[in-house]
Amino acid sequence: MSQSANKLSRDRVAQQVAAEIAPGSYVNIGLGMPTLVAKYLDPAKEIILHSENGILGIEDVTAGDPGDEDLINASKARLQLIPGASICDQSLSFAMMRGGHLDATILGAFQVSCQGDIASWATNDTEAVPGIGGAMDLVAGARKVIVVMEHTTRDGRPKLLRDCTFPLTGKGVVDTIYTDMAVIDVDPARGFVVRAMARGLSREALQAATAAPLSYADDVALI
């Protein structure tokens, strides 16, 4: 079986993230793969989603509903409000982020280091986005920083490294990384600690796809 056959789908990764968010959390969800997390959140957990452009209490539009063109998130995707939602100006929204009022932020990354550094806004090629946006505020202010990303680049280069080579969004801020190959916690003493792996993927293959040493939890789950 090829290594690619053992990788998780983007939706499966999103399901893993959604299942581990604590009930009652206030969470910001970023661009790319993280946007998939919203559709797998259990409504019974009453998780409140935040958008940095000034909305607290959002959800995806109902399937088949075009949505309101004036109601969008920071990714410019249309959304709808949940009962009790609030809308504020962007400065107040950023005050929520910077003031430590969000339980978690879920965002993508180009690179993550084993020290918990994250690079998510600029590269040395055409993947670069226009600017750092609110990401630096989110990773500095949120109580937990969760990264959702593919484990390697399209051409197979590791994205989990000893040191990031792209400009940093935040230094020493990442708590957990969810990839299409594993769930990895960042420990100040041990670096990357694997606590779950794609079923059928060997530890040797996972290490080969990672440019920093991996250690393993006592009980590694298979997903």
Side-chain angles (χ1 to χ4, degrees):
M1 185 179 291
S2 69
Q3 179 176 309
S4 61
N6 296 321
K7 290 185 177 181
L8 303 171
S9 69
R10 294 164 68 92
D11 283 273
R12 185 71 180 107
V13 176
Q15 287 176 324
Q16 289 296 122
V17 181
E20 295 191 9
I21 298 176
S25 295
Y26 288 81
V27 181
N28 180 281
I29 292 182
L31 307 176
M33 286 179 68
T35 60
L36 296 173
V37 174
K39 71 178 183 177
Y40 293 109
L41 294 173
D42 182 354
K45 294 171 72 173
E46 297 185 338
I47 293 164
I48 306 297
L49 299 183
H50 167 270
S51 181
E52 59 261 41
N53 58 325
I55 313 176
L56 187 65
I58 60 176
E59 62 183 6
D60 290 341
V61 294
T62 305
D65 185 344
D68 185 337
E69 65 181 9
D70 293 322
L71 191 59
I72 59 173
N73 61 19
S75 307
K76 299 182 180 179
R78 295 183 186 183
L79 49 82
Q80 60 191 24
L81 305 179
I82 66 171
S86 66
I87 297 175
C88 63
D89 62 73
Q90 197 164 21
S91 62
L92 182 57
S93 182
F94 270 67
M96 295 180 199
M97 294 154 51
R98 295 168 178 164
H101 303 291
L102 295 179
D103 294 295
T105 182
I106 305 171
L107 70 166
F110 293 132
Q111 296 175 339
V112 179
S113 81
C114 57
Q115 294 87 35
D117 305 336
I118 177 173
S120 67
W121 70 281
T123 71
N124 297 329
D125 53 37
T126 56
E127 287 183 283
V129 294
I132 196 168
M136 64 179 180
D137 303 273
L138 286 163
V139 301
R143 296 170 187 168
K144 185 172 185 179
V145 176
I146 298 168
V147 172
V148 183
M149 62 191 292
E150 293 176 341
H151 206 94
T152 61
T153 63
R154 292 190 183 95
D155 57 2
R157 288 175 291 151
K159 297 171 73 173
L160 276 65
L161 311 170
R162 289 181 182 270
D163 296 289
C164 295
T165 59
F166 297 151
L168 295 184
T169 307
K171 189 171 179 63
V173 294
V174 176
D175 295 288
T176 304
I177 309 158
Y178 294 80
T179 79
D180 51 356
M181 300 176 78
V183 179
I184 300 172
D185 293 323
V186 180
D187 183 272
R190 300 173 62 188
F192 291 140
V193 181
V194 180
R195 60 177 167 88
M197 290 176 55
R199 192 176 299 274
L201 180 70
S202 69
R203 292 189 177 189
E204 291 77 15
L206 182 60
Q207 182 62 78
T210 309
L214 296 172
S215 59
Y216 294 83
D218 292 336
D219 185 14
V220 177
L222 299 178
I223 53 180

